[in-house]
């Protein structure tokens, strides 16, 4: 297992050694199942928590069927022959001081139990692990694996020290219980020198914050002598996570900031000015302010890199369009990237109608100075595609709208000056970069998101962008009233459909959102994640895709409720007396793009005023006449997602109504989410609540970024200070050494982190 002495060994090479070589295949196999393959993997597998050596586990908290590790004291151990069945049985009783737990071992012969009998001496304390069962009303562990405190040390002095140390509890499995992991970590860690463990944190940064080096930090968290020590190690490792991420973001930001971009200054009397003249409404103060900011940056010689976050309905599209027109006036083109075909088609329609004859370049009746809006989606017909490709490549289309089809190789631009990405959480950093690479010089970039992003998440995920915010909603909107409707209350449900009827009779339209397409489906339009309490939760996520195979059905808990589906609900509504004579349409991801367009157009025109849909309408769909939103199985959706859905109504002058039909028992996280939503209309406030309710991985996962998976100790929900500090330090370092050439260990850590992001990107395409 040792490296030949004469070889020139790269620093850090030992961290890449396969665990099988270091520990032997037998020990390594169960670790591989936990995703730990190299020495480095194992050392980065930090303890989840630490058990106080003196503190026993409260045995009242054990649930039958659960795999547990408990700390308890042995009370007695007795072996007896079993006359009826033959063989022998050892029964031990352990206690937390109040309650008892039985440990049971069976063997063919009494002698085989002697090892346990000799070790399970009354008075000794140990950790016991196994699946809790119930035998005649008594909780027990059968053949538990166990480790006695202080007994397995080499001598008495070591044993004494051992007994008083915090015990690391690792994320573990039955095949690799926590103490076996602990032993493996020691085997791997103890022989390593500082030189074997290159530190991604530059020494000056460490010194500034009095952080220990990496070798020490690993010893601190894996083999602490007291609580102060593991806290010290964690603090340093947490900072490292923030710093590595921020260093990469700072590097990207610096790279782009040094690049040249074509300046696209405002051209007086151009399309933008003409457009402003005919705008049917006045811009809000926020729209004007952000508009001025964008105008100034587009006129600059370095690429704009801006994130525009705006409350649902705050009017981001107009802001983006005005920026695009400035670029077109200056001779360039703008690309608008939308996450779904429905949204891309709608954007093209909206832009064309907002522009009127300004978008009829080359057509009879077009304005004198005019341009075209091209639309490129994955599924459009060959002829239409050819024409649009030509418009983009020739520059005849000043504005090119599309889905990720815009990323494909054969899409070319004459002079791409601005990339606008709508609803950012659906596009990875790499996709943005692909599109930007289509320009001769780095184009300006505007990323828009309707999901308000708390500052810390923005710093973590979009740290390479500057942020603008639109918090104001245009005047004259009456807002949306939200109610929770208990799904099992037939009278309330009936009333819901009556309300829909009333809205329709008044000239309004209603969306009815379901979690899946047909009755036999898995939920779609949402990734399944788990709530704090283990319940499934549909997270804010990608366009309708394949159901998540990773969902694990074999867990305890109540059987999942049957979710209502689009096809089933549409049929049911057509038969409802309350909706007699009202046309009911359907919209979901399995329809062709033409069918989808038609369904939306029929809905918008009022021919089909009730639309039963999946979450495909979640982002950005804009039908001003829509006044009612009914969400079925609302408890299965995330807070931000419901806020987005709700944002589809009340966009015109008529008040909106949002009815959340759910069965969420009081006190459950789902009930809390729904109640919060009913009380709060401010998206930023909701985002903050959401952040508190979600699990960490889901927060970053929802906001994309494979970087999330590299965060182990850092919590964007809690570590705002650490992130801000790391960001300041990282920017300073990058200012001195833009490519981090003096810090190879940091570069390597970044590359490892980015590898994950790239994989994630590949997974999705
Ligand atoms: P979002 O920010 O959610 O993308 P949109 O850009 O779709 O919002 O705008 C929502 C609606 O508000 C659109 O119908 C748009 O025409 C309208 N709108 C935008 N700005 C204003 C304004 N200043 N005054 C009135 N209506 C506006
Ligand atoms: Mg929008």
């Amino acid at each position: 297992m040792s490296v030949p002495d004469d070889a020139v060994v790269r620093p850090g090479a030992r961290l890449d050694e396969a665990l099988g070589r270091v520990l032997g295949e037998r020990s390594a196999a169960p670790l591989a199942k936990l995703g730990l393959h190299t020495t480095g993997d194992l050392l980065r597998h930090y303890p989840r928590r630490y058990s106080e050596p003196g503190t026993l586990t409260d045995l009242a908290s054990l649930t039958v069927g659960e795999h547990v590790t408990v700390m308890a004291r042995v009370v007695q151990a007795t072996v007896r022959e079993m006359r009826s069945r033959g063989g022998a049985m050892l029964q031990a009783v352990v206690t937390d001081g109040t309650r008892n737990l039985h440990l049971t071992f069976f063997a063919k012969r009494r002698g085989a139990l002697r090892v346990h009998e000799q070790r399970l001496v009354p008075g000794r304390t140990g950790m016991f692990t196994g699946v809790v069962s119930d035998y005649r009303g008594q909780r027990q562990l059968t053949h538990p694996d166990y480790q006695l405190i202080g007994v397995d040390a080499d001598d008495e002095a070591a044993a004494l020290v051992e007994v008083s140390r915090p015990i690391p509890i690792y994320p573990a499995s039955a095949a690799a219980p926590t103490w076996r992991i602990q032993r493996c970590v020691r085997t791997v860690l103890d022989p390593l020198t500082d030189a074997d463990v290159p530190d991604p944190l530059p020494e000056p940064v460490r010194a500034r914050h009095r952080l220990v080096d990496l070798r020490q930090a690993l010893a601190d968290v894996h083999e602490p002598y007291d609580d102060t020590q593991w806290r010290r190690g964690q603090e340093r490792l947490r900072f490292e996570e923030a710093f590595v991420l921020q260093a990469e973001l700072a590097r990207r930001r610096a790279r782009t900031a040094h690049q040249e971009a074509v300046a696209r200054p405002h051209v007086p009397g151009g399309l933008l000015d003409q457009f402003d003249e005919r705008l049917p409404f006045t811009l809000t103060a926020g729209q004007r302010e952000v508009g001025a900011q964008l105008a100034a940056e587009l006129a600059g010689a370095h690429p704009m890199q801006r994130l525009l976050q705006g409350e649902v309905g705050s009017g981001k599209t107009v802001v983006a369009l005005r920026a695009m027109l400035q670029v077109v006036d200056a001779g360039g083109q703008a690309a608008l990237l939308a996450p779904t075909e429905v949204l891309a088609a709608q954007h093209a329609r909206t832009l064309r109608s907002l522009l009127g004859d300004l978008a009829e370049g080359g057509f009879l009746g077009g304005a004198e100075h005019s341009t075209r809006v091209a639309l490129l989606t994955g599924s459009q017909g060959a002829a239409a595609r050819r024409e649009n490709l030509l418009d983009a490549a020739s520059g005849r289309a000043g504005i090119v709208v599309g889905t990720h089809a815009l990323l494909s190789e054969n899409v070319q631009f004459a002079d791409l000056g601005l990339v606008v990405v709508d609803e950012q959480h659906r596009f990875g950093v790499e996709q943005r970069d692909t599109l930007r690479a289509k320009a001769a010089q780095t184009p300006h970039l505007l990323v828009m998101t309707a999901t308000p992003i708390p500052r810390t998440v923005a710093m973590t995920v979009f740290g390479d962008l500057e942020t603008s915010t639109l918090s104001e909603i245009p005047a004259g909107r009456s807002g949306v009233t939200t109610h929770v409707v208990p799904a099992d209350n037939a009278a309330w449900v009936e009333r819901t459909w009556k309300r829909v009827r009333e809205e329709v009779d008044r000239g309004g339209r209603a969306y009815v959102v379901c979690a899946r397409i047909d009755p036999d489906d898995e939920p779609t339009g949402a990734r399944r994640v788990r709530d704090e309490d283990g319940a499934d939760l549909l997270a804010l996520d990608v366009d309708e895709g394949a159901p998540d195979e990773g969902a694990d059905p074999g867990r305890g808990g109540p059987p999942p409720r049957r979710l209502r589906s689009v096809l089933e609900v549409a049929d049911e509504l057509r038969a409802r007396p309350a909706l007699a004579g009202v046309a009911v349409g359907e919209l979901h991801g399995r329809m062709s793009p033409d069918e989808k367009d038609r369904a939306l157009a029929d809905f918008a025109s009022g021919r089909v005023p009730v639309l039963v849909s999946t979450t495909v309408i979640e982002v950005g769909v804009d039908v001003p006449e829509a006044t009612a939103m009914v969400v079925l199985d609302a408890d299965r959706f995330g807070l931000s997602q419901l806020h987005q859905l709700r944002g589809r109504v009340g966009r015109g002058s008529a008040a909106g109504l949002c009815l959340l039909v759910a069965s969420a028992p009081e006190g459950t996280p789902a009930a809390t989410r729904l109640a919060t939503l009913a009380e709060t209309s401010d998206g930023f406030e909701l985002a903050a609540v959401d952040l508190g309710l979600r699990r960490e991985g889901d927060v970053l996962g929802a906001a994309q970024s494979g970087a999330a998976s590299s965060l182990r100790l850092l919590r964007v929900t809690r570590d705002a200070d650490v992130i801000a500090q790391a960001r300041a330090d990282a920017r300073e370092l990058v200012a001195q050494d833009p490519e981090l050439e003096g810090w190879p260990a940091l570069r390597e850590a970044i590359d490892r982190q980015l590898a994950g992001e790239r994989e994630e990107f590949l997974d999705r395409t």
Side-chain angles (χ1 to χ4, degrees):
M1 59 141 272
S2 66
V3 185
D5 290 336
D6 54 353
V8 180
V9 181
R10 185 175 52 82
R14 294 194 70 176
L15 296 181
D16 292 333
E17 275 187 303
L19 284 172
R21 287 186 50 194
V22 187
L23 299 169
E25 296 302 338
R26 268 193 52 174
S27 300
L31 296 176
K33 290 227 175 75
L34 292 172
L36 310 174
H37 304 284
T38 64
T39 299
D41 293 344
L42 181 58
L43 293 177
R44 295 292 188 173
H45 187 67
Y46 307 136
R48 194 204 317 273
R49 59 189 171 85
Y50 298 84
S51 192
E52 285 282 328
T55 324
L56 304 180
T57 308
D58 178 3
L59 295 176
S61 64
L62 300 186
T63 320
V64 171
E66 219 180 359
H67 185 269
V68 297
T69 300
V70 301
M71 180 79 72
R73 196 175 60 244
V74 180
V75 179
Q76 63 173 62
T78 44
V79 177
R80 58 189 178 81
E81 311 275 352
M82 292 185 297
R83 227 157 270 142
S84 53
R85 294 209 275 159
M89 179 178 96
L90 180 146
Q91 182 127 64
V93 178
V94 297
T95 181
D96 63 1
T98 311
R99 282 180 189 75
N100 291 344
L101 174 69
H102 286 195
L103 313 178
T104 313
F105 299 84
F106 299 98
K108 284 229 168 58
R109 287 169 300 101
R110 198 185 171 117
L113 294 170
R114 191 148 308 134
V115 248
H116 296 302
E117 202 178 356
Q118 278 164 1
R119 298 186 71 211
L120 294 170
V121 175
R124 280 185 178 170
T125 302
M127 275 196 290
F128 304 88
T129 191
V131 176
V132 181
S133 58
D134 181 283
Y135 182 71
R136 298 194 178 154
Q138 174 62 54
R139 297 286 140 97
Q140 74 168 18
L141 303 180
T142 307
H143 288 284
D145 211 333
Y146 64 95
Q147 168 90 341
L148 296 165
I149 307 303
V151 173
D152 299 308
D154 295 337
D155 59 52
E156 207 168 326
L160 266 179
V161 172
E162 210 55 30
V163 191
S164 64
R165 290 173 76 163
I167 298 154
I169 308 290
Y170 288 90
S173 65
T178 172
W179 54 83
R180 210 161 291 151
I181 295 177
Q182 185 183 2
R183 227 173 288 145
C184 292
V185 169
R186 283 191 181 189
T187 309
V188 163
L189 179 58
D190 290 349
L192 294 184
T193 64
D194 285 357
D196 292 325
V197 190
D199 195 334
L201 274 189
E203 206 279 325
V205 174
R206 246 163 37 215
R208 184 176 314 152
H209 302 294
R210 299 165 188 273
L211 298 171
V212 295
D213 64 42
L214 180 55
R215 170 71 180 75
Q216 183 61 53
L218 292 171
D220 286 351
V221 296
H222 290 298
E223 308 178 39
Y225 281 95
D226 54 33
D227 291 350
T228 330
Q229 197 182 348
W230 62 254
R231 288 209 180 92
R232 176 179 79 173
Q234 280 195 346
E235 184 193 359
R236 126 87 219 206
L237 294 169
R238 188 175 299 128
F239 188 86
E240 176 190 320
E241 285 175 11
F243 187 82
V244 169
L245 193 55
Q246 293 300 330
E248 169 58 10
L249 293 170
R251 185 164 70 157
R252 278 187 201 176
R253 183 170 166 271
R255 260 184 213 156
T256 333
H258 285 107
Q259 282 165 346
E260 313 245 307
V262 179
R264 313 282 181 177
H266 174 228
V267 175
L271 293 170
L272 175 55
D273 286 355
Q274 295 177 50
F275 173 76
D276 279 349
E277 267 167 35
R278 23 171 116 176
L279 203 59
F281 43 71
T282 29
L283 297 174
T284 63
Q287 284 173 320
R288 256 180 286 132
E289 201 175 300
V290 175
Q293 209 169 32
L294 299 183
E297 288 181 2
L298 291 173
H302 297 293
M304 171 173 89
Q305 300 184 76
R306 202 159 267 287
L307 171 70
L308 171 57
Q309 34 177 340
E311 178 63 279
V312 186
S314 59
K316 293 185 290 296
T317 315
V318 172
V319 172
L321 177 56
R322 295 185 66 253
M324 293 192 271
L325 290 175
Q326 175 170 333
V327 170
V328 174
D329 281 337
Q333 289 169 289
L336 172 56
L337 194 55
T340 65
E341 300 219 339
V342 168
L343 199 53
Q346 176 193 285
H347 270 317
R349 251 193 323 267
T350 309
L351 297 187
R352 286 185 188 128
S353 90
L354 280 168
L355 289 168
D357 63 354
L358 298 177
E360 292 177 2
F363 293 108
L364 222 56
E368 194 186 341
H369 298 286
S370 56
T371 188
R372 277 203 205 185
V373 176
L375 173 66
L376 276 167
T377 59
S379 53
Q380 89 201 133
R385 184 170 172 79
R386 207 170 316 118
E387 163 142 13
N388 283 303
L389 280 173
L390 204 62
D391 280 352
S394 66
R396 199 160 45 186
I399 297 176
V400 182
V401 184
T403 53
H404 52 268
L406 279 186
L407 303 173
S408 87
E409 266 170 35
N410 54 17
V411 178
Q412 281 172 5
F413 294 86
D415 180 10
L416 181 58
L418 168 65
V419 173
V420 180
V421 181
D422 197 12
E423 316 297 352
Q424 159 67 20
H425 58 276
R426 292 151 195 255
F427 289 106
V429 170
E430 302 239 341
Q431 285 164 300
R432 274 193 236 153
D433 289 347
T434 308
L435 190 54
R436 295 174 92 187
K438 289 182 182 290
Q441 263 181 329
T442 314
H444 300 281
L445 173 69
L446 174 64
V447 172
M448 304 197 289
T449 170
T451 312
I453 303 171
R455 213 175 77 86
T456 50
V457 180
M459 277 196 297
T460 310
V461 183
F462 304 110
D464 56 337
L465 306 178
E466 308 299 324
T467 309
S468 309
T469 304
L470 279 182
S471 42
E472 193 181 348
I473 300 291
R477 303 247 178 99
S478 335
V480 184
T481 318
T482 305
H483 298 287
V484 180
V485 177
D488 46 16
N489 186 324
W492 285 50
V493 173
E494 180 61 27
R495 178 83 195 110
T496 298
W497 303 123
K498 285 221 180 86
R499 284 293 286 116
V500 167
R501 176 66 193 236
E502 287 162 25
E503 292 300 322
V504 172
D505 287 346
R506 254 186 251 151
R509 326 252 191 282
Y511 296 102
V512 179
V513 174
C514 304
R516 53 184 188 163
I517 300 174
D518 73 42
D520 303 324
D521 278 339
E522 284 285 303
T524 72
R527 193 168 41 97
R528 298 172 69 175
V529 297
R530 283 179 195 286
D531 230 333
E532 282 296 13
D533 65 351
D536 262 356
L537 163 67
L538 303 176
L540 171 76
D541 204 51
V542 291
D543 191 14
E544 298 187 350
D548 183 0
E549 315 277 0
D552 142 28
R555 297 168 46 126
R561 199 173 67 242
R562 261 191 84 245
L563 299 180
R564 310 299 315 275
S565 70
V566 171
L567 303 183
E568 178 191 46
V569 170
D571 282 343
E572 181 197 312
L573 294 188
R574 290 179 187 119
R576 282 238 170 207
L579 291 170
V582 176
V584 175
E586 292 163 11
L587 181 68
H588 55 75
R590 252 185 247 152
M591 293 159 57
S592 74
D594 281 354
E595 290 171 331
K596 283 191 219 166
D597 276 352
R598 210 171 319 122
L600 259 187
D602 284 347
F603 180 68
S605 73
R607 252 172 39 86
V608 181
V610 175
L611 186 64
V612 186
S613 163
T614 54
T615 51
V616 70
I617 58 144
E618 172 198 341
V619 262
V621 170
D622 185 30
V623 176
E625 293 80 9
T627 50
M629 164 68 60
V630 181
V631 184
L632 301 178
D633 297 308
D635 49 312
R636 309 294 293 253
F637 295 81
L639 197 46
S640 298
Q641 195 172 26
L642 289 171
H643 183 59
Q644 289 293 314
L645 286 169
R646 172 168 70 174
R648 301 305 116 216
V649 297
R651 296 171 81 86
S653 52
L657 174 70
C658 175
L659 299 172
L660 306 170
V661 182
S663 23
E666 206 146 329
T668 60
T672 311
R673 272 200 306 278
L674 298 179
T676 309
L677 195 79
E679 281 159 19
T680 319
S681 61
D682 181 323
F684 284 87
E685 205 178 315
L686 285 172
V689 176
D690 202 15
L691 200 59
L693 292 177
R694 274 162 185 265
R695 280 197 294 200
E696 186 73 7
D698 300 333
V699 174
L700 288 176
Q704 59 105 96
S705 177
S709 55
S710 65
L711 301 186
R712 300 198 160 97
L713 294 168
L714 191 71
R715 297 284 171 269
V716 287
T717 44
R718 182 193 65 196
D719 298 323
D721 293 351
V722 178
I723 295 171
Q725 187 59 63
R727 168 146 108 156
D729 288 336
R731 287 191 170 183
E732 195 184 311
L733 192 74
V734 165
Q736 292 158 7
D737 182 356
E739 283 305 319
L740 302 170
E741 273 156 17
W743 312 104
L746 175 56
R747 281 173 61 136
E748 199 169 313
I750 290 174
D751 288 345
R752 246 196 318 273
Q753 212 159 83
L754 275 191
E757 192 168 318
R758 224 163 271 135
E759 276 160 29
E760 176 161 305
F761 170 66
L762 290 175
D763 279 354
R764 286 206 255 150
T765 45

